[in-house]
Structures are given as structure tokens and as C-alpha cells.
Amino acid sequence: MTQEKQKVRKAVFPAAGLGTRFLPATKAQPKEMLPVVDKPIIQYAMEEALQSGVETMIIVTGRGKVAIEDHFDVSFELEQLLRDRGKTELLRQVRSLTERVQVAYVRQKEALGLGHAIYTARPLIENEPFAVLLSDDLMQTERPCIGQLIDVYDTYQSSVVAIQQVPHEDTSRYGIIRAERVVDDRFPGELYRILDMVEKPAVDKAPSDLAILGRYVLTPQIWDKIGKTTPGSIGEIQITDAMRALLAEQPIYGYRFEGKRHDAGEKLGYLKATVEMGLSHPEVGAAFREYLKSQQF
Ligand code: G1P
């Protein structure tokens, strides 16, 4: 039986983490709801998926995350108020995402790691390829980052992760790959075939400076691998370990995508994301640029 080519229709957004790096701001609100200019960071990731042709968004939540569900739901009272006051543009903005997007929620009951968070979405996906987006990694690109990975998936029918070079001393913060370059002119970024990968290696053990960033397209064979993964780095079930097991059976690619990534999961990266997204914002960008120029920092 020949296997039909399957499309990437679903995306998983792990959002059950505690957000301790942003305390006290995240004491009573999810870190995914922190705004960068005028949108919560999870909305950037969701728009990225939507622009890449993903149809169903699966958000993995936990305790204290109801604000995320409310955000992607219709707010009848707010819409009525905006309508009554003639705020049509704001109304359009508020409605635009909720109208276009189909969201499902699953709960991760215990914080057992990223691999485990993704695994909770298994019953909603099962036998098809899917995307994973970590909203902490805020991508600033011309073509959506996950769309760039989906292009690679469509061509190679293999799992693919976003990668970028990081300073060597930062390698212990990421999944790091060992890989060989694949020359393929169909892709504007750099494609690599992954030979091995390790989660958060000690700096002197890092096999390269190529780090996995929070965008993945995975084949459904990953499920059994996650199911068999035992807690690794920091006692959690790591997606990197499950992918490493998958590597023994299938090729996995790394794609050095075109564009920038901001680490909005830590304070400095969050500030940088705010400045850069502020500068390119259609409403306030020009005035913000003037303001920054006028400051004697
Ligand atoms: C996770 C992954 C790691 C990856 C990183 C990208 O780590 O486990 O492999 O490099 O995201 O942001 P976390 O940032 O959740 O510790």
C-alpha cells in the first residue's frame, strides 16, 4: 500500500509551564499571556501557525491558565461594547483570530517535561504529522518559521526542527545537534541532516553550536518514542531524547531558517523582542523609532 502524502494540519502549543523567570508578573497570569507590544506572546505563535496553513491549534495548559482559553474565545460583552462605541478597527482586530482559528485544549496535570506536555496531545493527533511551537521563542521572519519547516517536511516527509547557531557558552541551555549539511537549492535557509542530538549538554560536551529552537514538525512515529522515554536532563521527559530514539529509525532534519528569534522566555530576550516588534509595529513603530533616536542612553 502506498502511503498518501499527509499535510501538517495540527499544531501543539505547550503552555503549562510555571513561568518562574517572570515572577512576580506571572504569579496570577500565565507567562504566555505577557504582551509584546499589543499581543500576548502565544498569539504570535498561533498566527505563525495559521499563516502556515495549520488548521487546528492544540494548547497544552495546566492550572492557572484559564486566561489563555478566554483570550482565544469570543468575548461577547467586549465585542458589544466596541460595537456600541463605533470602534470598528479594534473590533476587527479582536475578532480576526477567534473567527479563523479552531482551538482545542488538553491539560498536562503534572510538570513532567516538554516531551510529556506534547504527549498529552496524542489522542487529538495520533496518526498524522504535526507541528510544535514553543511560544517563548518569538520568531521575527518574513515567511513564518513553522511554514519554512513545513516546506521541508513536505519535500522530505521527515521530521524537521528549527535550528540556529548560538554562542558556544550558551549551548548548555538548548538541545544541541551534530549534523551534516545537505545542499538543496529549493530551500533558502541551510538544511542539515541530524546525526545525533543531546539535551542541554555541558558546554565542553556540546557536539556543535547548532541549537534546536522551539519549532518542530514531527512524524507520528514520535509518539511511541516519547512513550518509552524515561526522565533525562533535570528529571523531565525530554522531546530531544525521544527524537534521538526516532533518529535510529528515520531521518530527522535541522533547518537553519531565515529570520530572527527572540527568547521571550527570559527578561533580556523579552525586552529585545518588545523593542524590535515595537519598531516594526504599523501603528507606533515610526514614533517609537524617533523616541529611541532622541534618547541619550
Ligand atoms: C526546550 C527544549 C530544548 C530547546 C529549547 C528551545 O528547552 O527542551 O531542546 O533547545 O526549548 O527554546 P526549554 O527552553 O524549555 O528549557
Side-chain angles (χ1 to χ4, degrees):
M1 192 181 86
T2 49
Q3 187 88 39
E4 282 249 329
K5 278 196 175 185
Q6 286 180 302
K7 277 186 59 154
V8 178
R9 301 183 306 137
K10 296 176 181 172
V12 181
F13 300 77
L18 288 177
T20 45
R21 276 185 250 171
F22 279 98
L23 281 170
T26 48
K27 188 177 166 204
Q29 71 166 334
K31 67 170 176 167
E32 294 77 12
M33 290 302 294
L34 292 176
V36 168
V37 192
D38 53 5
K39 284 181 217 168
I41 60 171
I42 192 168
Q43 186 170 340
Y44 287 94
M46 196 171 285
E47 288 179 354
E48 182 187 323
L50 200 62
Q51 286 161 13
S52 306
V54 174
E55 293 158 11
T56 304
M57 315 294 170
I58 302 166
I59 305 185
V60 182
T61 65
R63 286 165 59 85
K65 301 281 184 171
V66 280
I68 299 178
E69 295 175 39
D70 285 345
H71 181 73
F72 292 112
D73 205 354
V74 172
S75 171
F76 179 76
E77 300 83 349
L78 176 67
E79 290 186 9
Q80 192 59 46
L81 188 101
L82 293 174
R83 209 171 286 119
D84 290 349
R85 296 194 178 163
K87 307 249 183 218
T88 5
E89 175 52 23
L90 270 182
L91 181 63
R92 192 194 60 76
Q93 283 178 25
V94 164
R95 289 187 64 109
S96 70
L97 194 62
T98 41
E99 270 173 359
R100 284 178 300 154
V101 78
Q102 191 183 342
V103 192
Y105 296 90
V106 286
R107 302 266 289 202
Q108 186 188 18
K109 293 181 198 135
E110 285 174 278
L112 296 179
L114 179 58
H116 178 259
I118 295 169
Y119 199 67
T120 58
R122 178 176 186 168
L124 301 186
I125 299 176
E126 282 297 355
N127 198 24
E128 56 181 297
F130 62 98
V132 178
L133 296 92
L134 310 185
S135 57
D136 278 0
D137 286 321
L138 205 156
M139 302 304 192
Q140 203 175 7
T141 59
E142 292 233 332
R143 166 137 176 69
C145 180
I146 199 69
Q148 296 184 41
L149 297 192
I150 291 173
D151 290 345
V152 174
Y153 171 81
D154 286 341
T155 304
Y156 285 83
Q157 299 285 296
S158 296
S159 300
V160 52
V161 299
I163 53 168
Q164 260 186 8
Q165 188 160 15
V166 296
H168 190 69
E169 62 274 19
D170 291 347
T171 46
S172 59
R173 291 171 42 196
Y174 298 97
I176 302 291
I177 63 168
R178 185 164 68 79
E180 63 186 16
R181 183 76 202 275
V182 177
V183 179
D184 188 332
D185 296 340
R186 287 171 291 186
F187 301 105
E190 284 176 17
L191 188 65
Y192 290 80
R193 176 143 179 189
I194 298 180
L195 302 172
D196 201 359
M197 60 179 90
V198 52
E199 178 69 8
K200 302 195 173 80
V203 171
D204 60 340
K205 299 261 164 54
S208 77
D209 295 344
L210 292 175
I212 301 173
L213 300 184
R215 298 291 183 276
Y216 310 74
V217 174
L218 298 167
T219 58
Q221 286 73 33
I222 196 70
W223 295 129
D224 285 342
K225 302 301 173 200
I226 305 177
K228 288 186 188 136
T229 300
T230 48
S233 169
I234 57 170
E236 294 182 344
I237 294 172
Q238 299 294 346
I239 190 65
T240 309
D241 294 339
M243 287 194 297
R244 187 166 190 267
L246 186 61
L247 205 50
E249 289 167 18
Q250 305 186 333
I252 303 181
Y253 291 87
Y255 188 61
R256 205 164 155 182
F257 63 97
E258 289 197 308
K260 258 190 213 171
R261 164 261 189 178
H262 301 289
D263 184 359
E266 54 100 25
K267 285 173 202 163
L268 187 58
Y270 177 81
L271 286 173
K272 288 181 187 170
T274 302
V275 170
E276 298 221 23
M277 301 309 265
L279 283 170
S280 58
H281 192 277
E283 184 190 324
V284 296
F288 186 44
R289 185 174 300 275
E290 285 310 309
Y291 164 76
L292 288 180
K293 272 198 210 149
S294 73
Q295 294 300 301
Q296 312 278 327
F297 292 118

mmCIF file of all heavy atoms in Angstrom, residues 21 31 114-115 134 136-137 162 173-176 198-200 211-216 234 236 238-240 243 261 263, ligand 1:
data_model
loop_
_atom_site.group_PDB
_atom_site.id
_atom_site.type_symbol
_atom_site.label_atom_id
_atom_site.label_comp_id
_atom_site.label_asym_id
_atom_site.label_seq_id
_atom_site.Cartn_x
_atom_site.Cartn_y
_atom_site.Cartn_z
ATOM 1 N N ARG A 21 10.597 32.512 35.767
ATOM 2 C CA ARG A 21 11.582 33.550 35.415
ATOM 3 C C ARG A 21 10.970 34.939 35.353
ATOM 4 O O ARG A 21 11.676 35.925 35.305
ATOM 5 C CB ARG A 21 12.238 33.217 34.073
ATOM 6 C CG ARG A 21 13.388 32.253 34.251
ATOM 7 C CD ARG A 21 14.095 32.039 32.946
ATOM 8 N NE ARG A 21 13.839 30.692 32.481
ATOM 9 C CZ ARG A 21 14.164 30.228 31.292
ATOM 10 N NH1 ARG A 21 14.738 31.024 30.426
ATOM 11 N NH2 ARG A 21 13.898 29.001 30.956
ATOM 12 N N LYS A 31 2.505 33.044 31.767
ATOM 13 C CA LYS A 31 3.574 33.762 31.068
ATOM 14 C C LYS A 31 3.269 33.896 29.581
ATOM 15 O O LYS A 31 3.702 34.848 28.936
ATOM 16 C CB LYS A 31 4.923 33.083 31.275
ATOM 17 C CG LYS A 31 5.056 31.736 30.638
ATOM 18 C CD LYS A 31 6.485 31.228 30.668
ATOM 19 C CE LYS A 31 6.521 29.809 30.096
ATOM 20 N NZ LYS A 31 7.809 29.291 29.794
ATOM 21 N N LEU A 114 8.838 18.755 28.642
ATOM 22 C CA LEU A 114 8.299 19.131 27.333
ATOM 23 C C LEU A 114 7.781 17.923 26.549
ATOM 24 O O LEU A 114 6.715 17.983 25.919
ATOM 25 C CB LEU A 114 9.392 19.869 26.539
ATOM 26 C CG LEU A 114 9.038 20.328 25.140
ATOM 27 C CD1 LEU A 114 7.827 21.269 25.154
ATOM 28 C CD2 LEU A 114 10.236 21.024 24.496
ATOM 29 N N GLY A 115 8.536 16.821 26.594
ATOM 30 C CA GLY A 115 8.100 15.625 25.877
ATOM 31 C C GLY A 115 6.747 15.160 26.392
ATOM 32 O O GLY A 115 5.834 14.839 25.623
ATOM 33 N N LEU A 134 6.872 26.427 20.535
ATOM 34 C CA LEU A 134 7.078 26.920 21.901
ATOM 35 C C LEU A 134 7.014 28.439 21.836
ATOM 36 O O LEU A 134 7.861 29.076 21.199
ATOM 37 C CB LEU A 134 8.441 26.471 22.440
ATOM 38 C CG LEU A 134 8.786 24.978 22.318
ATOM 39 C CD1 LEU A 134 10.109 24.679 23.010
ATOM 40 C CD2 LEU A 134 7.673 24.116 22.886
ATOM 41 N N ASP A 136 7.618 30.779 23.817
ATOM 42 C CA ASP A 136 8.751 31.539 24.365
ATOM 43 C C ASP A 136 9.707 31.988 23.271
ATOM 44 O O ASP A 136 10.383 33.004 23.401
ATOM 45 C CB ASP A 136 9.591 30.650 25.299
ATOM 46 C CG ASP A 136 8.994 30.560 26.680
ATOM 47 O OD1 ASP A 136 7.947 31.178 26.901
ATOM 48 O OD2 ASP A 136 9.587 29.864 27.524
ATOM 49 N N ASP A 137 9.822 31.179 22.236
ATOM 50 C CA ASP A 137 10.668 31.551 21.102
ATOM 51 C C ASP A 137 9.815 32.358 20.146
ATOM 52 O O ASP A 137 8.967 31.819 19.431
ATOM 53 C CB ASP A 137 11.226 30.301 20.409
ATOM 54 C CG ASP A 137 12.332 29.651 21.219
ATOM 55 O OD1 ASP A 137 13.150 30.386 21.801
ATOM 56 O OD2 ASP A 137 12.376 28.416 21.268
ATOM 57 N N ALA A 162 13.686 23.469 13.896
ATOM 58 C CA ALA A 162 14.345 24.750 13.606
ATOM 59 C C ALA A 162 15.666 24.798 14.358
ATOM 60 O O ALA A 162 15.737 24.392 15.524
ATOM 61 C CB ALA A 162 13.450 25.900 14.058
ATOM 62 N N ARG A 173 22.036 25.552 27.337
ATOM 63 C CA ARG A 173 20.626 25.946 27.542
ATOM 64 C C ARG A 173 19.683 25.309 26.517
ATOM 65 O O ARG A 173 18.477 25.543 26.551
ATOM 66 C CB ARG A 173 20.499 27.468 27.422
ATOM 67 C CG ARG A 173 21.158 28.204 28.565
ATOM 68 C CD ARG A 173 21.215 29.700 28.308
ATOM 69 N NE ARG A 173 19.991 30.223 27.739
ATOM 70 C CZ ARG A 173 19.893 31.412 27.151
ATOM 71 N NH1 ARG A 173 20.939 32.199 27.053
ATOM 72 N NH2 ARG A 173 18.743 31.827 26.667
ATOM 73 N N TYR A 174 20.261 24.561 25.568
ATOM 74 C CA TYR A 174 19.451 24.092 24.431
ATOM 75 C C TYR A 174 19.638 22.610 24.155
ATOM 76 O O TYR A 174 20.578 21.994 24.645
ATOM 77 C CB TYR A 174 19.887 24.841 23.162
ATOM 78 C CG TYR A 174 19.687 26.318 23.206
ATOM 79 C CD1 TYR A 174 20.743 27.169 23.544
ATOM 80 C CD2 TYR A 174 18.451 26.882 22.912
ATOM 81 C CE1 TYR A 174 20.565 28.546 23.585
ATOM 82 C CE2 TYR A 174 18.265 28.255 22.939
ATOM 83 C CZ TYR A 174 19.325 29.082 23.277
ATOM 84 O OH TYR A 174 19.141 30.434 23.314
ATOM 85 N N GLY A 175 18.773 22.101 23.264
ATOM 86 C CA GLY A 175 19.061 20.835 22.612
ATOM 87 C C GLY A 175 20.073 21.150 21.524
ATOM 88 O O GLY A 175 19.887 22.090 20.749
ATOM 89 N N ILE A 176 21.157 20.384 21.471
ATOM 90 C CA ILE A 176 22.224 20.666 20.501
ATOM 91 C C ILE A 176 22.364 19.479 19.548
ATOM 92 O O ILE A 176 22.305 18.322 19.982
ATOM 93 C CB ILE A 176 23.572 20.913 21.223
ATOM 94 C CG1 ILE A 176 23.445 22.093 22.211
ATOM 95 C CG2 ILE A 176 24.714 21.160 20.226
ATOM 96 C CD1 ILE A 176 23.264 23.462 21.574
ATOM 97 N N VAL A 198 21.597 16.110 21.665
ATOM 98 C CA VAL A 198 21.669 15.942 23.111
ATOM 99 C C VAL A 198 21.020 17.156 23.779
ATOM 100 O O VAL A 198 21.168 18.291 23.313
ATOM 101 C CB VAL A 198 23.136 15.727 23.577
ATOM 102 C CG1 VAL A 198 24.060 16.800 23.048
ATOM 103 C CG2 VAL A 198 23.250 15.622 25.091
ATOM 104 N N GLU A 199 20.260 16.887 24.826
ATOM 105 C CA GLU A 199 19.560 17.964 25.525
ATOM 106 C C GLU A 199 20.478 18.618 26.561
ATOM 107 O O GLU A 199 21.049 17.935 27.403
ATOM 108 C CB GLU A 199 18.296 17.402 26.203
ATOM 109 C CG GLU A 199 17.484 18.411 27.015
ATOM 110 C CD GLU A 199 16.780 19.479 26.169
ATOM 111 O OE1 GLU A 199 16.778 19.374 24.927
ATOM 112 O OE2 GLU A 199 16.249 20.423 26.766
ATOM 113 N N LYS A 200 20.616 19.905 26.460
ATOM 114 C CA LYS A 200 21.362 20.726 27.415
ATOM 115 C C LYS A 200 22.698 20.098 27.856
ATOM 116 O O LYS A 200 22.880 19.778 29.039
ATOM 117 C CB LYS A 200 20.480 21.043 28.624
ATOM 118 C CG LYS A 200 19.188 21.772 28.217
ATOM 119 C CD LYS A 200 18.467 22.412 29.363
ATOM 120 C CE LYS A 200 17.297 23.249 28.897
ATOM 121 N NZ LYS A 200 16.063 22.562 28.574
ATOM 122 N N ALA A 211 21.815 24.954 17.759
ATOM 123 C CA ALA A 211 20.806 24.698 18.793
ATOM 124 C C ALA A 211 19.428 24.507 18.181
ATOM 125 O O ALA A 211 19.068 25.162 17.197
ATOM 126 C CB ALA A 211 20.768 25.870 19.758
ATOM 127 N N ILE A 212 18.666 23.622 18.807
ATOM 128 C CA ILE A 212 17.265 23.443 18.423
ATOM 129 C C ILE A 212 16.464 24.581 19.043
ATOM 130 O O ILE A 212 16.576 24.843 20.244
ATOM 131 C CB ILE A 212 16.721 22.092 18.951
ATOM 132 C CG1 ILE A 212 17.539 20.922 18.392
ATOM 133 C CG2 ILE A 212 15.238 21.942 18.633
ATOM 134 C CD1 ILE A 212 17.189 19.557 18.990
ATOM 135 N N LEU A 213 15.692 25.264 18.216
ATOM 136 C CA LEU A 213 14.809 26.298 18.755
ATOM 137 C C LEU A 213 13.383 25.761 18.772
ATOM 138 O O LEU A 213 13.128 24.686 18.256
ATOM 139 C CB LEU A 213 14.943 27.566 17.923
ATOM 140 C CG LEU A 213 16.378 28.123 17.912
ATOM 141 C CD1 LEU A 213 16.435 29.437 17.159
ATOM 142 C CD2 LEU A 213 16.915 28.317 19.323
ATOM 143 N N GLY A 214 12.484 26.508 19.372
ATOM 144 C CA GLY A 214 11.174 25.941 19.687
ATOM 145 C C GLY A 214 10.186 25.778 18.548
ATOM 146 O O GLY A 214 9.016 26.164 18.659
ATOM 147 N N ARG A 215 10.614 25.181 17.448
ATOM 148 C CA ARG A 215 9.711 24.864 16.340
ATOM 149 C C ARG A 215 10.071 23.478 15.822
ATOM 150 O O ARG A 215 11.222 23.215 15.480
ATOM 151 C CB ARG A 215 9.879 25.861 15.172
ATOM 152 C CG ARG A 215 9.550 27.312 15.514
ATOM 153 C CD ARG A 215 8.059 27.511 15.755
ATOM 154 N NE ARG A 215 7.725 28.893 16.016
ATOM 155 C CZ ARG A 215 7.815 29.493 17.204
ATOM 156 N NH1 ARG A 215 8.261 28.833 18.258
ATOM 157 N NH2 ARG A 215 7.461 30.752 17.344
ATOM 158 N N TYR A 216 9.049 22.612 15.742
ATOM 159 C CA TYR A 216 9.267 21.223 15.322
ATOM 160 C C TYR A 216 8.145 20.798 14.385
ATOM 161 O O TYR A 216 6.991 21.193 14.588
ATOM 162 C CB TYR A 216 9.206 20.264 16.527
ATOM 163 C CG TYR A 216 10.040 20.623 17.739
ATOM 164 C CD1 TYR A 216 9.677 21.663 18.596
ATOM 165 C CD2 TYR A 216 11.177 19.900 18.050
ATOM 166 C CE1 TYR A 216 10.437 21.974 19.723
ATOM 167 C CE2 TYR A 216 11.952 20.202 19.184
ATOM 168 C CZ TYR A 216 11.570 21.247 20.013
ATOM 169 O OH TYR A 216 12.316 21.565 21.129
ATOM 170 N N ILE A 234 17.467 17.159 33.914
ATOM 171 C CA ILE A 234 16.697 17.729 35.024
ATOM 172 C C ILE A 234 15.430 16.929 35.407
ATOM 173 O O ILE A 234 14.415 17.474 35.836
ATOM 174 C CB ILE A 234 16.400 19.235 34.850
ATOM 175 C CG1 ILE A 234 15.650 19.530 33.541
ATOM 176 C CG2 ILE A 234 17.673 20.078 34.930
ATOM 177 C CD1 ILE A 234 15.116 20.973 33.444
ATOM 178 N N GLU A 236 13.205 15.379 33.680
ATOM 179 C CA GLU A 236 11.989 15.551 32.892
ATOM 180 C C GLU A 236 12.036 14.695 31.633
ATOM 181 O O GLU A 236 13.120 14.336 31.159
ATOM 182 C CB GLU A 236 11.863 17.025 32.477
ATOM 183 C CG GLU A 236 11.640 17.948 33.658
ATOM 184 C CD GLU A 236 11.473 19.398 33.232
ATOM 185 O OE1 GLU A 236 11.821 19.719 32.082
ATOM 186 O OE2 GLU A 236 10.996 20.189 34.055
ATOM 187 N N GLN A 238 12.141 14.482 28.045
ATOM 188 C CA GLN A 238 12.578 15.470 27.057
ATOM 189 C C GLN A 238 12.197 15.037 25.645
ATOM 190 O O GLN A 238 12.394 13.880 25.269
ATOM 191 C CB GLN A 238 14.106 15.641 27.118
ATOM 192 C CG GLN A 238 14.630 16.130 28.452
ATOM 193 C CD GLN A 238 14.173 17.540 28.783
ATOM 194 O OE1 GLN A 238 13.666 18.272 27.924
ATOM 195 N NE2 GLN A 238 14.338 17.931 30.030
ATOM 196 N N ILE A 239 11.697 15.990 24.867
ATOM 197 C CA ILE A 239 11.394 15.685 23.461
ATOM 198 C C ILE A 239 12.688 15.379 22.700
ATOM 199 O O ILE A 239 12.713 14.560 21.780
ATOM 200 C CB ILE A 239 10.580 16.834 22.793
ATOM 201 C CG1 ILE A 239 10.067 16.407 21.409
ATOM 202 C CG2 ILE A 239 11.369 18.112 22.669
ATOM 203 C CD1 ILE A 239 9.073 15.304 21.423
ATOM 204 N N THR A 240 13.788 16.008 23.123
ATOM 205 C CA THR A 240 15.076 15.759 22.444
ATOM 206 C C THR A 240 15.462 14.280 22.567
ATOM 207 O O THR A 240 15.936 13.682 21.599
ATOM 208 C CB THR A 240 16.179 16.645 23.058
ATOM 209 O OG1 THR A 240 15.708 17.992 23.071
ATOM 210 C CG2 THR A 240 17.467 16.581 22.256
ATOM 211 N N MET A 243 13.301 12.272 20.223
ATOM 212 C CA MET A 243 13.725 12.443 18.822
ATOM 213 C C MET A 243 15.010 11.668 18.560
ATOM 214 O O MET A 243 15.213 11.125 17.478
ATOM 215 C CB MET A 243 13.930 13.928 18.505
ATOM 216 C CG MET A 243 12.627 14.714 18.393
ATOM 217 S SD MET A 243 12.844 16.341 17.649
ATOM 218 C CE MET A 243 13.906 17.152 18.811
ATOM 219 N N ARG A 261 15.171 35.075 15.934
ATOM 220 C CA ARG A 261 14.404 34.502 17.033
ATOM 221 C C ARG A 261 14.726 35.295 18.297
ATOM 222 O O ARG A 261 15.879 35.635 18.552
ATOM 223 C CB ARG A 261 14.797 33.048 17.178
ATOM 224 C CG ARG A 261 14.404 32.411 18.473
ATOM 225 C CD ARG A 261 15.585 32.376 19.412
ATOM 226 N NE ARG A 261 15.271 31.560 20.582
ATOM 227 C CZ ARG A 261 16.135 31.322 21.555
ATOM 228 N NH1 ARG A 261 17.362 31.796 21.488
ATOM 229 N NH2 ARG A 261 15.771 30.607 22.581
ATOM 230 N N ASP A 263 14.320 35.207 22.461
ATOM 231 C CA ASP A 263 13.993 34.334 23.587
ATOM 232 C C ASP A 263 13.119 35.118 24.565
ATOM 233 O O ASP A 263 13.606 35.690 25.530
ATOM 234 C CB ASP A 263 15.275 33.852 24.262
ATOM 235 C CG ASP A 263 14.975 32.866 25.384
ATOM 236 O OD1 ASP A 263 13.789 32.584 25.629
ATOM 237 O OD2 ASP A 263 15.934 32.384 26.013
HETATM 238 C C1 G1P B 1 13.308 23.487 25.168
HETATM 239 C C2 G1P B 1 13.916 22.213 24.589
HETATM 240 C C3 G1P B 1 15.316 22.492 24.053
HETATM 241 C C4 G1P B 1 15.278 23.645 23.065
HETATM 242 C C5 G1P B 1 14.616 24.878 23.695
HETATM 243 C C6 G1P B 1 14.413 25.972 22.660
HETATM 244 O O1 G1P B 1 14.037 23.835 26.324
HETATM 245 O O2 G1P B 1 13.950 21.219 25.583
HETATM 246 O O3 G1P B 1 15.831 21.346 23.413
HETATM 247 O O4 G1P B 1 16.594 23.949 22.647
HETATM 248 O O5 G1P B 1 13.325 24.552 24.237
HETATM 249 O O6 G1P B 1 13.900 27.133 23.229
HETATM 250 P P1 G1P B 1 13.457 24.875 27.430
HETATM 251 O O7 G1P B 1 13.706 26.247 26.870
HETATM 252 O O8 G1P B 1 12.012 24.571 27.586
HETATM 253 O O9 G1P B 1 14.269 24.624 28.666
#
